[in-house]
Amino acid sequence: MDIFSSKDQQQIAARGMTVGQVEKQLRQIAHGFPFLRLEAPASVTNSIKVPSERERSRYLKAFDDYTAGNHRVVKFVPASGAASRMFKNLFAFLNADYDVPTTPFEKEFFDNIKKFAFHKALCQQCKKNEGMGLCKLIEAGRYKDVVKNLLTADGLNYGQLPKGLLLFHETADGAVTPAEEHLREAACYAAAGGQAHVHFTVSHAHLDLFRQHIAEVKAKYESRYGVTLDVTFSEQKPSTDTIAAEMPAQGEKPEVATPFRNADGTLLFRPGGHGALIENLNDIDADMVFIKNIDNVVAERFLAPTVEYKRLLAGVLADVQKQTFGYLEQLDRGDCQLDDLMEIAAFVELQLGVSNPHVFLLDPVELTDYLRSKLNRPIRVCGVVRNVGEPGGGPFLAYNHDGTVSPQILESSQIDMSNSNYKKMFTEGTHFNPVDLVCALKNYKGQPFDLKKYVDPRTGFISQKSKDGRDLLALELPGLWNGAMSDWSTVFVEVPLETFNPVKTVNDLLRTPHQGQEA
């Protein structure tokens, strides 16, 4: 393929990529990705565990026993997203041809402005820039000046800062950020041996801001909770970016997409989505990792259920891992009788949710190899919540390349919505994915898995974006908790909705779980 000049090749190499990788991406953009074949949505009668009170106590003890051992536990927080989408409605208000709150969203924001944890900082910023406080500006009908002081670089710059550094919750000690809430959570459920490890993935532009903020607040949480907080950061690797492509002409179906070029003729590369973070996760030295998004936090007075269920999920993982390791060691000894193999096969199907219609046709040697392949993998326990219409993927049972069926977290882009049966599965699914995972990253010999080997490369998707007014096609990598973990052992556990409180718009901070002080 001769579409890349020597200058292009230098640009590609500087990103830590090869021409072959980029050519493959252009073919993927041209051809798209296949939809997954579904067996059924997961439910409480089909692959979703709902622990009884007795089981809950057992799982909580299992996690206590795990942290009492020589295990390294890490809390992994994807935090690179900018907050600009949180304020989409307020940016629209700034550009509107009216000057007073008109839409329901705008009215809710201004009617409740004193309930936001950032309102005191905003008031001070208004006094500095406008010579009067927040309330005076509102009384004068200068609503847009209030928003400018909140969003722009001359004000608090919330329109460009990452979500993790915004003031989300009010506490007796003052307003706190989501980054601080994750430190609090780590101290409450992810500490082992008096130490809690927290890892944030951040954008390069915000790395110094995160480091400065954590340095300012870390000691407060260490003192309060009696733990040492080890906080580290990483950035999404340039080698995980994907090349952008030109939109094909109407009806054209090229074998290879045409690379999109910037005005200066250089190739355009874009972040490949949260699936790129499998590289960051792969670099983490940990036995067990909690994963939760930066904006899914609650005010301190609502934290108890989150702590309990995080510990419960971790206990399920510890329990499943212990059984998995025991069976792998038994297979390694080579003394399994047919009854032993059937017991292990039952565990793979009933506890790990992997079904194989041909398992009973395998001879003992084939069955041993099959069971080892299904057991010797990274393990994840996924909390899932009852579906109440929130956006996001859901838990399904999907077919794998080898004909087996296993639990998977799927997004709508992975499902053929023209298939009425599949569309019904998606729309009528009882649960959805709140990105609430606990993962085991080492094998039964204590060696770290190479997580990149367990990614299903066929589960990416193509999205339409624009640059400088020109439409383009962008390649999204298999999502971190979707295709990037496709070949992991997966267990679904129902968790209560009160443990899921994402902030997608600024007005979500008015919901009760984000109101730090009693009304």
Side-chain angles (χ1 to χ4, degrees):
M1 190 184 299
D2 298 322
I3 60 176
F4 297 122
S5 67
S6 59
K7 193 173 182 180
D8 292 337
Q9 293 174 33
Q10 291 172 6
Q11 182 186 353
I12 291 168
R15 305 186 67 84
M17 303 175 72
T18 66
V19 170
Q21 286 176 312
V22 178
E23 290 174 343
K24 181 179 180 181
Q25 290 179 1
L26 290 172
R27 290 191 182 93
Q28 288 175 320
I29 293 173
H31 293 276
F33 293 90
F35 294 114
L36 294 188
R37 182 182 169 204
L38 307 184
E39 172 73 13
S43 66
V44 295
T45 58
N46 191 6
S47 293
I48 297 179
K49 293 178 179 290
V50 184
S52 64
E53 282 297 321
R54 183 175 180 179
E55 289 172 326
R56 283 156 57 97
S57 297
R58 181 168 68 85
Y59 290 137
L60 292 172
K61 183 181 184 303
F63 182 54
D64 287 340
D65 292 343
Y66 187 89
T67 54
N70 186 27
H71 294 109
R72 183 179 173 89
V73 179
V74 174
K75 184 169 165 55
F76 184 90
V77 186
S80 60
S84 52
R85 282 181 291 180
M86 258 183 74
F87 300 101
K88 177 182 177 181
N89 300 79
L90 294 184
F91 277 117
F93 174 62
L94 280 181
N95 296 320
D97 57 4
Y98 51 85
D99 297 314
V100 298
T102 301
T103 68
F105 188 97
E106 294 159 4
K107 291 178 180 179
E108 182 182 26
F109 175 80
F110 283 103
D111 287 347
N112 296 280
I113 200 162
K114 289 187 177 181
K115 293 182 180 179
F116 292 105
F118 56 73
H119 86 275
K120 291 179 182 177
L122 178 58
C123 188
Q124 290 299 315
Q125 191 67 50
C126 290
K127 287 178 180 178
K128 177 182 176 182
N129 287 346
E130 313 299 336
M132 64 177 72
L134 186 59
C135 294
K136 291 293 185 181
L137 279 176
I138 291 176
E139 288 175 9
R142 295 172 58 182
Y143 295 97
K144 288 191 174 181
D145 286 333
V146 170
V147 176
K148 288 176 183 176
N149 277 278
L150 176 64
L151 300 184
T152 66
D154 290 334
L156 296 180
N157 201 30
Y158 272 28
Q160 298 303 319
L161 289 177
K163 279 185 184 181
L165 299 182
L166 307 187
L167 297 176
F168 261 35
H169 301 146
E170 193 70 55
T171 74
D173 299 327
V176 299
T177 65
E180 291 179 75
E181 295 292 19
H182 280 284
L183 297 185
R184 189 197 311 279
E185 286 194 18
C188 290
Y189 63 71
Q195 190 170 45
H197 304 277
V198 187
H199 185 87
F200 294 97
T201 63
V202 302
S203 69
H204 179 72
H206 299 137
L207 177 58
D208 289 342
L209 289 175
F210 266 100
R211 281 180 170 156
Q212 179 182 344
H213 178 59
I214 296 301
E216 291 171 350
V217 303
K218 186 164 74 81
K220 175 175 69 173
Y221 295 95
E222 289 178 325
S223 174
R224 178 166 182 178
Y225 293 100
V227 301
T228 299
L229 288 166
D230 170 45
V231 183
T232 55
F233 304 92
S234 66
E235 303 172 32
Q236 190 167 309
K237 299 178 182 180
S239 60
T240 64
D241 289 353
T242 58
I243 194 166
E246 295 278 1
M247 294 287 295
Q250 185 74 26
E252 182 184 1
K253 294 184 178 180
E255 182 67 23
V256 180
T258 301
F260 184 100
R261 293 184 181 274
N262 295 305
D264 63 1
T266 57
L267 301 168
L268 175 63
F269 289 88
R270 305 180 71 263
H274 56 72
L277 298 181
I278 196 69
E279 295 262 3
N280 303 65
L281 186 61
N282 200 42
D283 292 338
I284 297 293
D285 177 20
D287 298 290
M288 180 181 288
V289 176
F290 291 88
I291 301 178
K292 195 170 79 159
N293 280 335
I294 187 68
D295 64 326
N296 183 13
V297 289
V298 293
E300 182 182 7
R301 66 191 178 106
F302 297 104
L303 186 58
T306 292
V307 171
E308 179 183 357
Y309 276 90
K310 285 292 184 299
R311 293 178 61 241
L312 186 145
L313 292 177
V316 172
L317 178 62
D319 184 71
V320 169
Q321 184 188 62
K322 183 178 180 180
Q323 294 179 74
T324 298
F325 285 5
Y327 286 135
L328 283 166
E329 290 166 357
Q330 189 176 352
L331 291 171
D332 269 3
R333 290 195 298 269
D335 56 2
C336 288
Q337 302 300 311
L338 184 59
D339 285 350
D340 299 320
L341 293 175
M342 288 297 101
E343 177 186 328
I344 300 173
F347 172 80
V348 168
E349 179 163 2
L350 299 178
Q351 298 302 315
L352 301 183
V354 180
S355 59
N356 181 352
H358 306 297
V359 69
F360 296 109
L361 301 179
L362 303 176
D363 64 40
V365 174
E366 292 172 328
L367 182 55
T368 297
D369 289 342
Y370 165 76
L371 294 174
R372 183 179 286 110
S373 71
K374 293 304 180 184
L375 290 172
N376 193 24
R377 304 186 295 173
I379 308 170
R380 59 174 176 164
V381 173
C382 307
V384 294
V385 297
R386 289 281 178 174
N387 197 339
V388 291
E390 293 279 358
F396 285 84
L397 297 174
Y399 282 86
N400 303 306
H401 308 318
D402 62 1
T404 61
V405 174
S406 66
Q408 301 285 345
I409 296 289
L410 303 183
E411 302 289 342
S412 59
S413 61
Q414 297 176 270
I415 299 173
D416 182 2
M417 292 300 181
S418 67
N419 182 316
S420 59
N421 189 33
Y422 287 2
K423 183 175 182 179
K424 184 179 181 186
M425 288 184 191
F426 187 81
T427 56
E428 296 183 2
T430 57
H431 292 72
F432 73 97
N433 165 45
V435 188
D436 189 358
L437 293 81
V438 190
C439 306
L441 307 186
K442 293 183 180 179
N443 65 23
Y444 66 111
K445 296 180 180 180
Q447 302 162 331
F449 287 105
D450 181 357
L451 303 183
K452 294 177 288 184
K453 293 182 178 179
Y454 299 87
V455 177
D456 182 352
R458 304 192 310 170
T459 56
F461 66 95
I462 311 301
S463 59
Q464 185 172 330
K465 305 289 183 180
S466 65
K467 174 79 185 310
D468 300 330
R470 296 160 54 201
D471 289 336
L472 60 85
L473 294 176
L475 172 62
E476 302 279 347
L477 297 172
L480 180 60
W481 40 84
N482 310 119
M485 296 182 176
S486 177
D487 290 332
W488 292 38
S489 292
T490 300
V491 177
F492 296 138
V493 178
E494 184 178 86
V495 296
L497 190 60
E498 61 191 310
T499 64
F500 179 56
N501 296 280
V503 177
K504 301 306 179 187
T505 74
V506 62
N507 284 359
D508 287 340
L509 290 172
L510 298 173
R511 294 180 179 180
T512 300
H514 297 290
Q515 292 295 300
Q517 301 296 304
E518 297 279 1

